[in-house]
Amino acid sequence: MRRPVRPGWPGVCLAVLGLFMMSYGIFRGETAVVLEKAVNICLECVGIG
């Protein structure tokens, strides 16, 4: 009988680190910067910007 697959420590550590870095970016107010860049890229793809 096979054991169920468990996530390894490296994956869990990277997930926690990613969540921490996202929280830090949100705390610093960088969501507006990211949204502005995303809008600019979208407008360039459509050909408006």
Side-chain angles (χ1 to χ4, degrees):
M1 202 166 201
R2 295 176 61 170
R3 294 189 312 186
V5 178
R6 294 180 304 180
W9 280 106
V12 172
C13 289
L14 287 174
V16 169
L17 181 63
L19 288 172
F20 172 74
M21 295 301 282
M22 284 180 10
S23 301
Y24 182 65
I26 291 170
F27 176 73
R28 287 188 51 184
E30 295 188 17
T31 51
V33 175
V34 172
L35 182 62
E36 181 182 341
K37 289 181 181 184
V39 168
N40 287 336
I41 289 173
C42 264
L43 290 176
E44 287 177 7
C45 287
V46 173
I48 296 174

